[in-house]
Amino acid sequence: MEMDSQIESGQKRRVNSKDDLIADVGSGSIGCCGWMIVILAGLFVFSLFPFTIWFCIKIVQEYERAVIFRLGRITDRKAKGPGIFFVLPCTDSFVKVDLRTVSFDIPPQEILTKDSVTVCVDGVVYFRVSDPISSVANVSDADFSTRLLAQTTLRNVLGTKNLAELLSDREGISHSMQASLDEATDPWGIKVERVEIKDVKLPHQLQRAMAAEAEATREARAKVIAAEGEMNASRALKEASLVIAESPSGLQLRYLQTLTTIAAEKNSTIIFPLPMDVISHFMKK
């Protein structure tokens, strides 16, 4: 419950900060001088309309959005596109933002786990731009910043885990990293969709020690299973001997069955069983 309340409070703070940022964007005025320049640019475009129209029309693809700056200020709270939009050639400039999901590999990181074991871990991150205006106005390079942040987040999260948790709870580590990255990149207009741990490389000495431990465990388990099988077989033989002792003809039938089995293998060896009762009779004399 405490963890859920912390997550909810963190989400509320993120939403509030994002709302404040959106309120700030586009709220500034370009001033009287700026409006004069815009009017002059409009008159220039209107006077040379047949030729300047080609400089005013811009096109962005379905997966792109355009953030327009007019005299250095963002003109609208919403990015333009997809399709056709118009700009003033002298006062407006725009930045294209790609909204498609981007994936990148986290370079292998040498990490010291909680139980002082050095491992090399790499992963992959999937993210996309959710707010084009924030990705342009709040960070210099959203893609590069997200890559650097993913590396440091991987080291910070795995530094709190021991080796057993690192090897067995990869899904939980991935969710923890995704939550941390998503919270940190939200002011940049970045949505982290998925984080996965690709590979965990252990030192060779530790690999040999773990292999020896696993082999010893398997050998001990095999010995226990063999001992249990011997015990069950001895019990079955005991029950069989009791059944044969109740019927003396059963021993003769068992002998004939053994001869049939030997004959099927084309073996000329024939075994003649000697009852123990006969030997005990002579031993008494």
Side-chain angles (χ1 to χ4, degrees), residues 16-48:
N16 293 334
S17 62
K18 192 171 183 179
D19 292 340
D20 296 338
L21 178 64
I22 293 176
D24 293 338
V25 173
S27 60
S29 176
I30 59 177
C32 296
C33 183
W35 280 113
M36 291 179 61
I37 295 175
V38 171
I39 293 173
L40 291 176
L43 292 176
F44 174 75
V45 171
F46 182 76
S47 61
L48 300 176

PDB file of all heavy atoms in Angstrom, residues 16-48:
ATOM      1  N   ASN A  16       1.297  17.384 -12.617  1.00  0.00           N
ATOM      2  CA  ASN A  16       1.248  18.809 -12.271  1.00  0.00           C
ATOM      3  C   ASN A  16       2.383  19.575 -12.920  1.00  0.00           C
ATOM      4  O   ASN A  16       2.197  20.682 -13.448  1.00  0.00           O
ATOM      5  CB  ASN A  16       1.292  18.972 -10.756  1.00  0.00           C
ATOM      6  CG  ASN A  16       0.030  18.431 -10.082  1.00  0.00           C
ATOM      7  OD1 ASN A  16      -1.031  18.392 -10.698  1.00  0.00           O
ATOM      8  ND2 ASN A  16       0.155  18.014  -8.831  1.00  0.00           N
ATOM      9  N   SER A  17       3.601  19.014 -12.864  1.00  0.00           N
ATOM     10  CA  SER A  17       4.733  19.696 -13.478  1.00  0.00           C
ATOM     11  C   SER A  17       4.560  19.808 -14.985  1.00  0.00           C
ATOM     12  O   SER A  17       4.913  20.819 -15.595  1.00  0.00           O
ATOM     13  CB  SER A  17       6.037  18.961 -13.146  1.00  0.00           C
ATOM     14  OG  SER A  17       5.998  17.649 -13.664  1.00  0.00           O
ATOM     15  N   LYS A  18       3.996  18.759 -15.597  1.00  0.00           N
ATOM     16  CA  LYS A  18       3.774  18.801 -17.037  1.00  0.00           C
ATOM     17  C   LYS A  18       2.713  19.832 -17.401  1.00  0.00           C
ATOM     18  O   LYS A  18       2.838  20.542 -18.394  1.00  0.00           O
ATOM     19  CB  LYS A  18       3.374  17.410 -17.521  1.00  0.00           C
ATOM     20  CG  LYS A  18       3.399  17.262 -19.032  1.00  0.00           C
ATOM     21  CD  LYS A  18       3.207  15.818 -19.415  1.00  0.00           C
ATOM     22  CE  LYS A  18       3.297  15.667 -20.933  1.00  0.00           C
ATOM     23  NZ  LYS A  18       3.132  14.271 -21.345  1.00  0.00           N
ATOM     24  N   ASP A  19       1.659  19.930 -16.602  1.00  0.00           N
ATOM     25  CA  ASP A  19       0.630  20.936 -16.855  1.00  0.00           C
ATOM     26  C   ASP A  19       1.202  22.340 -16.729  1.00  0.00           C
ATOM     27  O   ASP A  19       0.867  23.233 -17.519  1.00  0.00           O
ATOM     28  CB  ASP A  19      -0.532  20.750 -15.873  1.00  0.00           C
ATOM     29  CG  ASP A  19      -1.297  19.455 -16.151  1.00  0.00           C
ATOM     30  OD1 ASP A  19      -1.177  18.934 -17.275  1.00  0.00           O
ATOM     31  OD2 ASP A  19      -1.986  18.964 -15.231  1.00  0.00           O
ATOM     32  N   ASP A  20       2.055  22.552 -15.719  1.00  0.00           N
ATOM     33  CA  ASP A  20       2.682  23.868 -15.568  1.00  0.00           C
ATOM     34  C   ASP A  20       3.555  24.196 -16.768  1.00  0.00           C
ATOM     35  O   ASP A  20       3.591  25.341 -17.240  1.00  0.00           O
ATOM     36  CB  ASP A  20       3.530  23.896 -14.283  1.00  0.00           C
ATOM     37  CG  ASP A  20       2.659  23.723 -13.032  1.00  0.00           C
ATOM     38  OD1 ASP A  20       1.436  24.001 -13.136  1.00  0.00           O
ATOM     39  OD2 ASP A  20       3.194  23.317 -11.990  1.00  0.00           O
ATOM     40  N   LEU A  21       4.259  23.192 -17.273  1.00  0.00           N
ATOM     41  CA  LEU A  21       5.109  23.422 -18.430  1.00  0.00           C
ATOM     42  C   LEU A  21       4.289  23.777 -19.658  1.00  0.00           C
ATOM     43  O   LEU A  21       4.621  24.696 -20.405  1.00  0.00           O
ATOM     44  CB  LEU A  21       5.954  22.172 -18.699  1.00  0.00           C
ATOM     45  CG  LEU A  21       6.871  22.223 -19.921  1.00  0.00           C
ATOM     46  CD1 LEU A  21       7.921  23.304 -19.733  1.00  0.00           C
ATOM     47  CD2 LEU A  21       7.520  20.872 -20.147  1.00  0.00           C
ATOM     48  N   ILE A  22       3.187  23.051 -19.874  1.00  0.00           N
ATOM     49  CA  ILE A  22       2.338  23.336 -21.023  1.00  0.00           C
ATOM     50  C   ILE A  22       1.729  24.732 -20.912  1.00  0.00           C
ATOM     51  O   ILE A  22       1.570  25.457 -21.891  1.00  0.00           O
ATOM     52  CB  ILE A  22       1.231  22.271 -21.138  1.00  0.00           C
ATOM     53  CG1 ILE A  22       1.857  20.917 -21.498  1.00  0.00           C
ATOM     54  CG2 ILE A  22       0.205  22.649 -22.183  1.00  0.00           C
ATOM     55  CD1 ILE A  22       0.863  19.776 -21.529  1.00  0.00           C
ATOM     56  N   ALA A  23       1.405  25.136 -19.680  1.00  0.00           N
ATOM     57  CA  ALA A  23       0.851  26.474 -19.495  1.00  0.00           C
ATOM     58  C   ALA A  23       1.877  27.545 -19.831  1.00  0.00           C
ATOM     59  O   ALA A  23       1.533  28.620 -20.332  1.00  0.00           O
ATOM     60  CB  ALA A  23       0.359  26.645 -18.054  1.00  0.00           C
ATOM     61  N   ASP A  24       3.172  27.261 -19.553  1.00  0.00           N
ATOM     62  CA  ASP A  24       4.213  28.242 -19.849  1.00  0.00           C
ATOM     63  C   ASP A  24       4.488  28.351 -21.337  1.00  0.00           C
ATOM     64  O   ASP A  24       4.830  29.424 -21.839  1.00  0.00           O
ATOM     65  CB  ASP A  24       5.506  27.863 -19.112  1.00  0.00           C
ATOM     66  CG  ASP A  24       5.342  27.987 -17.595  1.00  0.00           C
ATOM     67  OD1 ASP A  24       4.435  28.736 -17.178  1.00  0.00           O
ATOM     68  OD2 ASP A  24       6.094  27.317 -16.851  1.00  0.00           O
ATOM     69  N   VAL A  25       4.350  27.225 -22.060  1.00  0.00           N
ATOM     70  CA  VAL A  25       4.650  27.240 -23.483  1.00  0.00           C
ATOM     71  C   VAL A  25       3.584  28.046 -24.220  1.00  0.00           C
ATOM     72  O   VAL A  25       2.393  27.815 -24.075  1.00  0.00           O
ATOM     73  CB  VAL A  25       4.715  25.799 -24.035  1.00  0.00           C
ATOM     74  CG1 VAL A  25       4.853  25.830 -25.550  1.00  0.00           C
ATOM     75  CG2 VAL A  25       5.869  25.056 -23.416  1.00  0.00           C
ATOM     76  N   GLY A  26       4.004  28.981 -25.019  1.00  0.00           N
ATOM     77  CA  GLY A  26       3.082  29.762 -25.820  1.00  0.00           C
ATOM     78  C   GLY A  26       2.402  30.898 -25.071  1.00  0.00           C
ATOM     79  O   GLY A  26       1.579  31.599 -25.638  1.00  0.00           O
ATOM     80  N   SER A  27       2.717  31.030 -23.765  1.00  0.00           N
ATOM     81  CA  SER A  27       2.075  32.095 -23.005  1.00  0.00           C
ATOM     82  C   SER A  27       2.770  33.441 -23.165  1.00  0.00           C
ATOM     83  O   SER A  27       2.188  34.483 -22.908  1.00  0.00           O
ATOM     84  CB  SER A  27       2.035  31.711 -21.515  1.00  0.00           C
ATOM     85  OG  SER A  27       3.358  31.529 -21.023  1.00  0.00           O
ATOM     86  N   GLY A  28       4.054  33.419 -23.607  1.00  0.00           N
ATOM     87  CA  GLY A  28       4.790  34.672 -23.761  1.00  0.00           C
ATOM     88  C   GLY A  28       4.368  35.407 -25.018  1.00  0.00           C
ATOM     89  O   GLY A  28       3.909  34.822 -26.002  1.00  0.00           O
ATOM     90  N   SER A  29       4.568  36.709 -25.011  1.00  0.00           N
ATOM     91  CA  SER A  29       4.221  37.536 -26.157  1.00  0.00           C
ATOM     92  C   SER A  29       5.490  37.934 -26.887  1.00  0.00           C
ATOM     93  O   SER A  29       6.551  38.084 -26.284  1.00  0.00           O
ATOM     94  CB  SER A  29       3.455  38.785 -25.695  1.00  0.00           C
ATOM     95  OG  SER A  29       3.195  39.627 -26.794  1.00  0.00           O
ATOM     96  N   ILE A  30       5.380  38.094 -28.197  1.00  0.00           N
ATOM     97  CA  ILE A  30       6.541  38.487 -28.988  1.00  0.00           C
ATOM     98  C   ILE A  30       6.760  39.989 -28.952  1.00  0.00           C
ATOM     99  O   ILE A  30       7.764  40.477 -29.495  1.00  0.00           O
ATOM    100  CB  ILE A  30       6.379  38.005 -30.436  1.00  0.00           C
ATOM    101  CG1 ILE A  30       5.115  38.598 -31.070  1.00  0.00           C
ATOM    102  CG2 ILE A  30       6.341  36.486 -30.488  1.00  0.00           C
ATOM    103  CD1 ILE A  30       4.940  38.212 -32.540  1.00  0.00           C
ATOM    104  N   GLY A  31       5.860  40.753 -28.353  1.00  0.00           N
ATOM    105  CA  GLY A  31       6.036  42.189 -28.213  1.00  0.00           C
ATOM    106  C   GLY A  31       5.603  42.966 -29.444  1.00  0.00           C
ATOM    107  O   GLY A  31       5.293  42.400 -30.501  1.00  0.00           O
ATOM    108  N   CYS A  32       5.609  44.270 -29.288  1.00  0.00           N
ATOM    109  CA  CYS A  32       5.171  45.137 -30.383  1.00  0.00           C
ATOM    110  C   CYS A  32       6.114  45.064 -31.575  1.00  0.00           C
ATOM    111  O   CYS A  32       5.684  45.005 -32.732  1.00  0.00           O
ATOM    112  CB  CYS A  32       5.089  46.584 -29.883  1.00  0.00           C
ATOM    113  SG  CYS A  32       3.850  46.834 -28.586  1.00  0.00           S
ATOM    114  N   CYS A  33       7.422  45.054 -31.278  1.00  0.00           N
ATOM    115  CA  CYS A  33       8.383  44.971 -32.374  1.00  0.00           C
ATOM    116  C   CYS A  33       8.235  43.652 -33.123  1.00  0.00           C
ATOM    117  O   CYS A  33       8.320  43.604 -34.352  1.00  0.00           O
ATOM    118  CB  CYS A  33       9.788  45.141 -31.813  1.00  0.00           C
ATOM    119  SG  CYS A  33      11.085  45.139 -33.077  1.00  0.00           S
ATOM    120  N   GLY A  34       7.978  42.611 -32.372  1.00  0.00           N
ATOM    121  CA  GLY A  34       7.791  41.317 -33.008  1.00  0.00           C
ATOM    122  C   GLY A  34       6.571  41.282 -33.899  1.00  0.00           C
ATOM    123  O   GLY A  34       6.614  40.727 -35.004  1.00  0.00           O
ATOM    124  N   TRP A  35       5.485  41.889 -33.433  1.00  0.00           N
ATOM    125  CA  TRP A  35       4.285  41.918 -34.262  1.00  0.00           C
ATOM    126  C   TRP A  35       4.500  42.739 -35.527  1.00  0.00           C
ATOM    127  O   TRP A  35       3.974  42.417 -36.598  1.00  0.00           O
ATOM    128  CB  TRP A  35       3.119  42.479 -33.460  1.00  0.00           C
ATOM    129  CG  TRP A  35       2.482  41.470 -32.549  1.00  0.00           C
ATOM    130  CD1 TRP A  35       2.485  41.461 -31.194  1.00  0.00           C
ATOM    131  CD2 TRP A  35       1.759  40.313 -32.958  1.00  0.00           C
ATOM    132  NE1 TRP A  35       1.819  40.383 -30.704  1.00  0.00           N
ATOM    133  CE2 TRP A  35       1.348  39.650 -31.782  1.00  0.00           C
ATOM    134  CE3 TRP A  35       1.414  39.765 -34.193  1.00  0.00           C
ATOM    135  CZ2 TRP A  35       0.624  38.469 -31.816  1.00  0.00           C
ATOM    136  CZ3 TRP A  35       0.687  38.604 -34.230  1.00  0.00           C
ATOM    137  CH2 TRP A  35       0.298  37.967 -33.045  1.00  0.00           C
ATOM    138  N   MET A  36       5.278  43.814 -35.426  1.00  0.00           N
ATOM    139  CA  MET A  36       5.575  44.608 -36.625  1.00  0.00           C
ATOM    140  C   MET A  36       6.357  43.786 -37.645  1.00  0.00           C
ATOM    141  O   MET A  36       6.075  43.839 -38.854  1.00  0.00           O
ATOM    142  CB  MET A  36       6.366  45.857 -36.228  1.00  0.00           C
ATOM    143  CG  MET A  36       5.571  46.873 -35.422  1.00  0.00           C
ATOM    144  SD  MET A  36       6.546  48.313 -34.953  1.00  0.00           S
ATOM    145  CE  MET A  36       6.981  48.948 -36.554  1.00  0.00           C
ATOM    146  N   ILE A  37       7.309  43.023 -37.153  1.00  0.00           N
ATOM    147  CA  ILE A  37       8.091  42.181 -38.072  1.00  0.00           C
ATOM    148  C   ILE A  37       7.198  41.126 -38.718  1.00  0.00           C
ATOM    149  O   ILE A  37       7.308  40.842 -39.915  1.00  0.00           O
ATOM    150  CB  ILE A  37       9.259  41.528 -37.316  1.00  0.00           C
ATOM    151  CG1 ILE A  37      10.238  42.603 -36.836  1.00  0.00           C
ATOM    152  CG2 ILE A  37       9.972  40.515 -38.193  1.00  0.00           C
ATOM    153  CD1 ILE A  37      11.351  42.076 -35.981  1.00  0.00           C
ATOM    154  N   VAL A  38       6.288  40.539 -37.924  1.00  0.00           N
ATOM    155  CA  VAL A  38       5.376  39.538 -38.473  1.00  0.00           C
ATOM    156  C   VAL A  38       4.467  40.146 -39.523  1.00  0.00           C
ATOM    157  O   VAL A  38       4.209  39.542 -40.579  1.00  0.00           O
ATOM    158  CB  VAL A  38       4.560  38.895 -37.335  1.00  0.00           C
ATOM    159  CG1 VAL A  38       3.458  38.006 -37.906  1.00  0.00           C
ATOM    160  CG2 VAL A  38       5.457  38.082 -36.417  1.00  0.00           C
ATOM    161  N   ILE A  39       3.980  41.346 -39.257  1.00  0.00           N
ATOM    162  CA  ILE A  39       3.096  42.014 -40.235  1.00  0.00           C
ATOM    163  C   ILE A  39       3.852  42.320 -41.521  1.00  0.00           C
ATOM    164  O   ILE A  39       3.339  42.109 -42.634  1.00  0.00           O
ATOM    165  CB  ILE A  39       2.501  43.286 -39.619  1.00  0.00           C
ATOM    166  CG1 ILE A  39       1.539  42.914 -38.481  1.00  0.00           C
ATOM    167  CG2 ILE A  39       1.772  44.107 -40.676  1.00  0.00           C
ATOM    168  CD1 ILE A  39       1.034  44.117 -37.710  1.00  0.00           C
ATOM    169  N   LEU A  40       5.090  42.811 -41.382  1.00  0.00           N
ATOM    170  CA  LEU A  40       5.884  43.084 -42.581  1.00  0.00           C
ATOM    171  C   LEU A  40       6.151  41.809 -43.374  1.00  0.00           C
ATOM    172  O   LEU A  40       6.104  41.814 -44.614  1.00  0.00           O
ATOM    173  CB  LEU A  40       7.203  43.747 -42.181  1.00  0.00           C
ATOM    174  CG  LEU A  40       7.094  45.175 -41.639  1.00  0.00           C
ATOM    175  CD1 LEU A  40       8.462  45.680 -41.189  1.00  0.00           C
ATOM    176  CD2 LEU A  40       6.509  46.118 -42.696  1.00  0.00           C
ATOM    177  N   ALA A  41       6.419  40.705 -42.657  1.00  0.00           N
ATOM    178  CA  ALA A  41       6.643  39.438 -43.346  1.00  0.00           C
ATOM    179  C   ALA A  41       5.381  38.981 -44.057  1.00  0.00           C
ATOM    180  O   ALA A  41       5.427  38.461 -45.184  1.00  0.00           O
ATOM    181  CB  ALA A  41       7.111  38.372 -42.345  1.00  0.00           C
ATOM    182  N   GLY A  42       4.216  39.187 -43.415  1.00  0.00           N
ATOM    183  CA  GLY A  42       2.962  38.822 -44.061  1.00  0.00           C
ATOM    184  C   GLY A  42       2.700  39.639 -45.301  1.00  0.00           C
ATOM    185  O   GLY A  42       2.227  39.112 -46.321  1.00  0.00           O
ATOM    186  N   LEU A  43       2.993  40.961 -45.231  1.00  0.00           N
ATOM    187  CA  LEU A  43       2.805  41.813 -46.407  1.00  0.00           C
ATOM    188  C   LEU A  43       3.741  41.410 -47.539  1.00  0.00           C
ATOM    189  O   LEU A  43       3.359  41.419 -48.714  1.00  0.00           O
ATOM    190  CB  LEU A  43       3.047  43.279 -46.013  1.00  0.00           C
ATOM    191  CG  LEU A  43       2.010  43.889 -45.058  1.00  0.00           C
ATOM    192  CD1 LEU A  43       2.423  45.295 -44.673  1.00  0.00           C
ATOM    193  CD2 LEU A  43       0.621  43.894 -45.707  1.00  0.00           C
ATOM    194  N   PHE A  44       4.969  41.029 -47.144  1.00  0.00           N
ATOM    195  CA  PHE A  44       5.915  40.599 -48.168  1.00  0.00           C
ATOM    196  C   PHE A  44       5.445  39.318 -48.866  1.00  0.00           C
ATOM    197  O   PHE A  44       5.518  39.199 -50.090  1.00  0.00           O
ATOM    198  CB  PHE A  44       7.290  40.379 -47.511  1.00  0.00           C
ATOM    199  CG  PHE A  44       8.310  39.803 -48.427  1.00  0.00           C
ATOM    200  CD1 PHE A  44       8.915  40.581 -49.408  1.00  0.00           C
ATOM    201  CD2 PHE A  44       8.676  38.464 -48.326  1.00  0.00           C
ATOM    202  CE1 PHE A  44       9.858  40.029 -50.262  1.00  0.00           C
ATOM    203  CE2 PHE A  44       9.614  37.916 -49.170  1.00  0.00           C
ATOM    204  CZ  PHE A  44      10.211  38.696 -50.143  1.00  0.00           C
ATOM    205  N   VAL A  45       4.934  38.390 -48.086  1.00  0.00           N
ATOM    206  CA  VAL A  45       4.432  37.144 -48.661  1.00  0.00           C
ATOM    207  C   VAL A  45       3.213  37.409 -49.536  1.00  0.00           C
ATOM    208  O   VAL A  45       3.067  36.836 -50.626  1.00  0.00           O
ATOM    209  CB  VAL A  45       4.089  36.134 -47.543  1.00  0.00           C
ATOM    210  CG1 VAL A  45       3.359  34.924 -48.107  1.00  0.00           C
ATOM    211  CG2 VAL A  45       5.356  35.696 -46.811  1.00  0.00           C
ATOM    212  N   PHE A  46       2.337  38.309 -49.077  1.00  0.00           N
ATOM    213  CA  PHE A  46       1.118  38.608 -49.840  1.00  0.00           C
ATOM    214  C   PHE A  46       1.438  39.338 -51.141  1.00  0.00           C
ATOM    215  O   PHE A  46       0.796  39.097 -52.174  1.00  0.00           O
ATOM    216  CB  PHE A  46       0.181  39.441 -48.978  1.00  0.00           C
ATOM    217  CG  PHE A  46      -1.121  39.756 -49.648  1.00  0.00           C
ATOM    218  CD1 PHE A  46      -2.120  38.794 -49.778  1.00  0.00           C
ATOM    219  CD2 PHE A  46      -1.356  41.024 -50.161  1.00  0.00           C
ATOM    220  CE1 PHE A  46      -3.310  39.099 -50.416  1.00  0.00           C
ATOM    221  CE2 PHE A  46      -2.553  41.323 -50.797  1.00  0.00           C
ATOM    222  CZ  PHE A  46      -3.533  40.356 -50.918  1.00  0.00           C
ATOM    223  N   SER A  47       2.426  40.207 -51.094  1.00  0.00           N
ATOM    224  CA  SER A  47       2.757  40.971 -52.298  1.00  0.00           C
ATOM    225  C   SER A  47       3.394  40.088 -53.370  1.00  0.00           C
ATOM    226  O   SER A  47       3.211  40.335 -54.570  1.00  0.00           O
ATOM    227  CB  SER A  47       3.693  42.134 -51.949  1.00  0.00           C
ATOM    228  OG  SER A  47       4.911  41.622 -51.402  1.00  0.00           O
ATOM    229  N   LEU A  48       4.151  39.111 -52.958  1.00  0.00           N
ATOM    230  CA  LEU A  48       4.783  38.189 -53.913  1.00  0.00           C
ATOM    231  C   LEU A  48       4.112  36.823 -53.846  1.00  0.00           C
ATOM    232  O   LEU A  48       4.779  35.781 -53.878  1.00  0.00           O
ATOM    233  CB  LEU A  48       6.279  38.063 -53.608  1.00  0.00           C
ATOM    234  CG  LEU A  48       7.090  39.360 -53.681  1.00  0.00           C
ATOM    235  CD1 LEU A  48       8.525  39.112 -53.274  1.00  0.00           C
ATOM    236  CD2 LEU A  48       7.017  39.969 -55.080  1.00  0.00           C
TER     237      LEU A  48
END
